[in-house]
Amino acid sequence: MTETPSEALLRHILTTAKVFACVGVSMNPVRPSNYVARYLGLKGFRVIPVNPGHAGETLYGETVYPELSAIPADIPVDVVDIFRRSEAVPGIVDQALDRFPDLKVIWMQIGVRHAEAAARAEARGVTVIQNRCPKIEYQRLFGELRMGGFNTGIISSRL
Amino acid sequence: MSEQRSPGFDTLLIHAGARPDPATGARQIPIYQTTSYVFRDADHAAALFNLQEVGYIYSRLTNPTVAALQERMAALEGGQGAVCCSSGHAAQIMALFPLMGPGKNVVSSTRLYGGTVTQFSQTIKRFGWSAKFVDTDDLDAVKAAIDDDTRAIFCESIANPGGYVTDLDAMAKIADAAGIPLIVDNTTATPYLCRPIEHGATLVVHSMTKYLTGNGTVTGGCIVDSGKFDWSASDKFPSLSEPEPAYHGLKFHETFGPLAFTFHGIAIGLRDLGMTLNPQAAHYTLMGIETLSLRMQRHVENAEKVAKWLEDDPRVDFVTYAGLESSPYKAVADRICPKGASSLFTFGLKGGYEACVKLVDSVDIFSHVANLGDTRSLIIHSASTTHRQLTPEQQEAAGAAPNVVRLSIGIEDADDLIADLDQALAKATA
Ligand SMILES: Cc1ncc(COP(=O)(O)O)c(C=O)c1O
């Protein structure tokens, strides 16, 4: 459980994961969660939306599910990305561990943390990222943020 | 590069923001002399305009050469991101713009570059903004000046012209308690001598025209954001916390988190104010920054020698260099800028105004110019030039009284600088 995951770990997650389930994603196109879902989709990830208020609707080509346990078993979710208040994290983590035996990562967005739930997930061999945004990390690690003058922390003399 | 090791300052000077050019392998950062950039397709264009992806659109907003400099500045200051602009003065407006609004004020130090005093006391009034000037040595006065409409505290880390050092830790504490950001102009110190974010600053502004570029070639400015301020904690900063009509109601802070201020600086500030740095100027500044540490070490070494010599000279009334044991700012300087107090300071002449003017006319190596932070040593009589627009009280408060001469010590041989001042003082006091 770490709030400062290594660059190598983040890179590994973002180059090997294929399917994200975004819990608490908004249908409103100017909400940050919607931005992230759309962005991950643009980058080639499959993004499964989870939001009980909009179950059955479609977001960026995928059906919205009311909760993680409603996601069909044939959708191999690698990363559960949590856009909910920290208090909601334990319930979501329990569902995630229950539903996806092969889950690789539980990712909590900026401002979202839960040490105890994180420890439970890690005990099951799931990597936990807290208080981070996969969109920002993707943009940082793969060069996009350089274009905006952000401090990517990347030093390299290789092409 | 091993993953968890963070590179040292001198490595960042050379490498931060720079990498071999992906198109050509060019090792030095190319000057991308272009106004615009081809979109991959209509979706790519739409995503860029919606701020859903970061990329190059048009050089008023972003340019690869300028972006490299921005990332380097952000890395050197330990911030999240940086926006470069056409001058130091532009950077000040760009820093205040997202925070201020009609009726709002900035609580500002009285010890500032004269042009900043004028910008703050006169020009910003046209936007309905105002500045409340306070002596930052008087912490109670700073606290008392803050009211419900105050949106920031502004000071210089090492103040032009006197070289006085501001207690940034104390300023940051006051700003924190008031729920407002501290903006520090770090021009005179440079990040080599002082890193204001480590002392609690929210934003750092620079005139890159000075020590950063270093050779007196181009004007440029920069705003570095620490990414640490919670713009949504109160309703004081609606530009960052409330829906932005120009972007379909997007909220910058909520959407971009610690990157919000920088995104806003590009997407609103540069887009609409247009105070853009050009890629040629960015190139000169990137070249200058590569040698910043080496130059600053020599600037400081020379300034210490010249200041000590002046202090011991009977023709000299006082020397303000904060690196001198006699300076009342020595203790603060040791905490805020332990590697040295830069190379900008003033000294008073017993001969008054007349002697000052004669001195400035008698130097041979020192150049009589309105700049600072050049490799060349510079001299100016502030009261009749850079601080001329100020009232006598403002001049006094800024450390630019009529009997005061300002020096910016370069990286020549210190003995030659002392000899030049010696002969000029002889003429001035004859
Ligand atoms: C401390 C300080 N801040 C800001 C500025 C303004 O910068 P520029 O001249 O690049 O607009 C100056 C210029 O002298 C300065 O000395």
Side-chain angles (χ1 to χ4, degrees):
Chain A
M1 167 185 34
T2 173
E3 285 211 13
T4 41
S6 74
E7 212 161 80
L9 175 62
L10 292 170
R11 231 178 242 280
H12 175 76
I13 295 170
L14 295 172
T15 47
T16 55
K18 293 191 172 57
V19 184
F20 274 67
C22 289
V23 183
V25 68
S26 167
M27 305 298 279
N28 178 347
V30 300
R31 301 293 301 158
S33 58
N34 190 289
Y35 247 63
V36 173
R38 185 181 184 285
Y39 181 85
L40 293 173
L42 284 173
K43 295 296 159 191
F45 297 99
R46 185 172 178 194
V47 179
I48 309 299
V50 177
N51 182 335
H54 295 273
E57 295 174 33
T58 303
L59 184 69
Y60 302 125
E62 295 283 352
T63 304
V64 181
Y65 293 96
E67 51 183 3
L68 286 172
S69 10
I71 297 177
D74 62 347
I75 300 181
V77 171
D78 303 301
V79 183
V80 167
D81 187 7
I82 305 177
F83 291 86
R84 296 286 310 280
R85 285 171 295 107
S86 298
E87 301 87 89
V89 167
I92 294 166
V93 167
D94 288 342
Q95 262 200 38
L97 295 176
D98 199 42
R99 181 70 190 164
F100 309 112
D102 297 327
L103 186 67
K104 297 190 186 73
V105 180
I106 288 181
W107 193 308
M108 305 179 204
Q109 289 291 137
I110 294 177
V112 185
R113 303 176 175 91
H114 202 289
E116 189 203 308
R120 235 180 303 144
E122 290 193 323
R124 283 272 304 269
V126 174
T127 301
V128 178
I129 308 289
Q130 302 187 68
N131 193 33
R132 292 270 176 149
C133 171
K135 174 173 180 275
I136 291 179
E137 297 307 326
Y138 192 95
Q139 290 177 317
R140 186 173 73 80
L141 291 170
F142 301 105
E144 216 179 283
L145 283 185
R146 308 191 89 104
M147 298 190 269
F150 294 97
N151 186 3
T152 63
I154 295 168
I155 299 283
S156 172
S157 291
R158 293 189 211 185
L159 254 186
Chain B
M1 195 93 227
S2 83
E3 295 289 357
Q4 293 301 307
R5 210 187 122 73
S6 36
F9 187 82
D10 291 355
T11 302
L12 295 177
L13 286 179
I14 314 284
H15 289 281
R19 56 165 179 175
D21 181 49
T24 61
R27 179 58 275 215
Q28 191 48 277
I29 301 163
I31 301 169
Y32 282 91
Q33 198 65 68
T34 183
T35 53
S36 40
Y37 309 85
V38 175
F39 304 119
R40 283 196 303 275
D41 53 33
D43 279 348
H44 179 223
L48 289 174
F49 276 98
N50 284 341
L51 305 182
Q52 282 156 334
E53 280 191 71
V54 185
Y56 304 119
I57 300 177
Y58 184 63
S59 284
R60 179 165 14 92
L61 290 85
T62 44
N63 169 283
T65 313
V66 177
L69 174 59
Q70 288 172 157
E71 181 170 3
R72 185 166 300 173
M73 285 302 298
L76 295 177
E77 287 288 5
Q80 287 278 348
V83 182
C84 285
C85 49
S86 50
S87 71
H89 257 22
Q92 293 162 198
I93 294 295
M94 291 270 298
L96 290 174
F97 182 66
L99 315 178
M100 302 285 275
K104 306 306 175 205
N105 68 69
V106 52
V107 166
S108 170
S109 170
T110 48
R111 285 187 211 93
L112 298 176
Y113 162 55
T116 306
V117 175
T118 308
Q119 187 187 54
F120 283 8
S121 59
Q122 308 295 333
T123 303
I124 64 171
K125 282 194 213 155
R126 309 282 182 95
F127 307 142
W129 310 348
S130 63
K132 295 168 107 180
F133 290 98
V134 286
D135 178 349
T136 45
D137 287 348
D138 182 349
L139 301 183
D140 289 332
V142 177
K143 282 180 211 158
I146 296 171
D147 63 32
D148 287 346
D149 290 322
T150 303
R151 291 295 176 268
I153 298 179
F154 187 98
C155 63
E156 293 178 6
S157 48
I158 300 181
N160 175 4
Y164 302 128
V165 182
T166 309
D167 187 344
L168 302 182
D169 300 296
M171 291 301 115
K173 227 167 142 187
I174 296 171
D176 254 12
I180 55 175
L182 171 65
I183 308 174
V184 176
D185 181 337
N186 200 32
T187 298
T188 307
T190 81
Y192 174 75
L193 296 174
C194 173
R195 308 218 316 159
I197 290 171
E198 290 172 2
H199 297 280
T202 297
L203 301 172
V204 181
V205 295
H206 277 280
S207 167
M208 301 189 299
T209 316
K210 318 299 182 191
Y211 294 97
L212 287 167
T213 301
N215 300 86
T217 47
V218 293
T219 67
C222 180
I223 309 111
V224 180
D225 176 29
S226 64
K228 289 182 181 156
F229 195 86
D230 183 356
W231 304 108
S232 308
S234 74
D235 59 3
K236 286 185 173 168
F237 305 102
S239 296
L240 293 156
S241 64
E242 293 295 311
E244 169 57 48
Y247 287 103
H248 315 294
L250 167 149
K251 299 179 186 175
F252 273 88
H253 186 221
E254 185 187 66
T255 306
F256 301 114
L259 312 182
F261 195 93
T262 304
F263 261 105
H264 192 277
I266 297 168
I268 306 280
L270 289 178
R271 189 197 64 181
D272 295 344
L273 301 178
M275 301 189 279
T276 307
L277 186 70
N278 69 75
Q280 284 279 348
H283 167 76
Y284 281 110
T285 305
L286 282 160
M287 295 307 96
I289 288 175
E290 292 191 351
T291 58
L292 182 71
S293 290
L294 297 172
R295 284 186 291 108
M296 291 314 290
Q297 285 158 20
R298 176 65 84 87
H299 277 297
V300 166
E301 190 185 311
N302 280 0
E304 284 174 355
K305 282 187 196 157
V306 173
K308 274 195 195 114
W309 180 82
L310 282 169
E311 189 176 42
D312 291 340
D313 192 289
R315 294 163 294 190
V316 172
D317 198 8
F318 60 85
V319 181
T320 62
Y321 189 54
L324 289 171
E325 290 301 330
S326 59
S327 168
Y329 293 95
K330 182 73 169 72
V332 180
D334 287 344
R335 174 157 47 86
I336 301 296
C337 45
K339 284 192 239 162
S342 194
S343 76
L344 181 76
F345 62 89
T346 59
F347 65 100
L349 273 190
K350 289 180 180 156
Y353 189 100
E354 287 305 317
C356 290
V357 172
K358 246 197 208 154
L359 175 83
V360 167
D361 280 341
S362 305
V363 285
D364 287 323
I365 294 177
F366 279 82
S367 305
H368 182 196
V369 301
N371 190 27
L372 64 93
D374 198 330
T375 50
R376 275 151 284 274
S377 289
L378 313 175
I379 188 166
I380 199 159
H381 181 225
S382 300
S384 60
T385 54
T386 53
H387 289 63
R388 190 184 187 92
Q389 269 82 35
L390 274 53
T391 64
E393 296 75 36
Q394 285 177 320
Q395 286 180 348
E396 191 76 44
N403 64 329
V404 170
V405 171
R406 185 187 82 182
L407 298 180
S408 169
I409 301 297
I411 61 174
E412 303 100 327
D413 283 295
D415 291 344
D416 293 337
L417 302 177
I418 289 171
D420 192 28
L421 289 172
D422 192 26
Q423 65 79 23
L425 277 168
K427 287 185 186 140
T429 54

